[in-house]
Structure formats: C-alpha cells, structure tokens
C-alpha cells in the first residue's frame, strides 16, 4: 500500500448555494446511468462480487461509507449535504462518484441517512 501525501488528498463538501451558483454538479449528475447495466447502480460494476474494483460499502443506521481504490495515488473525500439525506434510491452514489471514476482517483464518500 502506498503512502498518500497530504498534497494528494482532496476534501470536498457541497451545499445548495454552490450548486445554484453553477459551481457544482446537481445531485442527479452522479445518478446518470451512462455505461452501467440497466437496473444496477453506477458503482455496482466496480464493487460487485467478481467486479474489477477494490473497495467497500459500509451501511450504518446514520450514514454509509463507500470507498473505491483506484490506481492513481490521489484520494477524493466527499460528504453529502442535507439535500441528499432522505434519498433511499438504490442508485444513490456518493457525491462526485462519477467524477472520481472518470478521472481514475480513489474515492471515499460519506452519505448521510439522517440529519
């Protein structure tokens, strides 16, 4: 396991003001099924049994954590905001999941279930 330097770690959070200002994607941007198989969430292809990805999804009563390790030695850490708290869609993914996948960086996403 390689050591990740502080300069290679990115922390991101978002709120409705940033999204309204056009600075951030809308919460539905990550829900775009794009190249995922119909009926499955976008992240399932990487983390499913037999998938090519390495990582985990840990669900708890108040939050869930999803981590996907990718070859690049950069880590993106994201946090949900209150807008997403009630979203129980099976296609829900951590904020910026698709972005992290597209640029091939590791991603730790924290998803809130209660406020």
């Amino acid at each position: 396991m390689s050591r990740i330097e502080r300069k290679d770690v990115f922390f991101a959070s978002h709120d409705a003001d940033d999204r309204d200002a056009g600075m951030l994607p809308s919460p539905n941007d990550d829900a775009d099924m794009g190249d995922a198989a119909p009926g499955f969430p976008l992240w399932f292809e990487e983390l499913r049994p037999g998938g090519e990805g390495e990582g985990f999804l840990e669900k708890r009563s108040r939050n869930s954590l999803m981590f996907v390790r990718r070859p690049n030695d950069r880590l993106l850490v994201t946090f949900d905001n209150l807008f997403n708290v009630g979203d129980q869609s099976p296609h829900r993914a951590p904020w910026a999941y698709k972005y992290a996948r597209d640029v091939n960086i590791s991603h730790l996403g924290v998803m809130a279930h209660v406020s």
Side-chain angles (χ1 to χ4, degrees):
M1 177 182 224
S2 64
R3 182 171 165 238
I4 298 176
E5 299 293 326
R6 181 181 174 100
K7 66 181 170 128
D8 293 334
V9 179
F10 299 94
F11 293 90
S13 64
H14 60 94
D15 58 29
D17 294 336
D18 290 339
R19 189 171 37 258
D20 293 341
M23 297 168 56
L24 298 170
S26 72
N28 294 329
D29 288 348
D30 286 337
D32 175 23
M33 289 308 294
D35 55 357
F40 291 101
L42 189 58
W43 55 265
F44 187 73
E45 188 58 33
E46 282 188 292
L47 295 182
R48 69 178 172 80
E52 297 292 321
E54 180 181 335
F56 64 84
L57 172 65
E58 181 176 324
K59 183 181 179 297
R60 295 177 176 239
S61 61
R62 300 181 60 82
N63 60 50
S64 292
L65 302 173
M66 180 184 290
F67 174 73
V68 180
R69 181 186 312 269
R70 296 191 178 94
N72 194 323
D73 283 344
R74 294 189 182 261
L75 173 65
L76 174 67
V77 179
T78 59
F79 302 88
D80 275 348
N81 66 14
L82 293 178
F83 181 83
N84 300 86
V85 169
D87 183 359
Q88 296 188 21
S89 164
H91 293 284
R92 181 179 181 189
W95 186 75
Y97 170 81
K98 187 174 183 303
Y99 168 78
R101 186 194 64 176
D102 291 348
V103 297
N104 203 30
I105 57 176
S106 296
H107 183 205
L108 174 63
V110 180
M111 298 178 283
H113 301 303
V114 297
S115 55

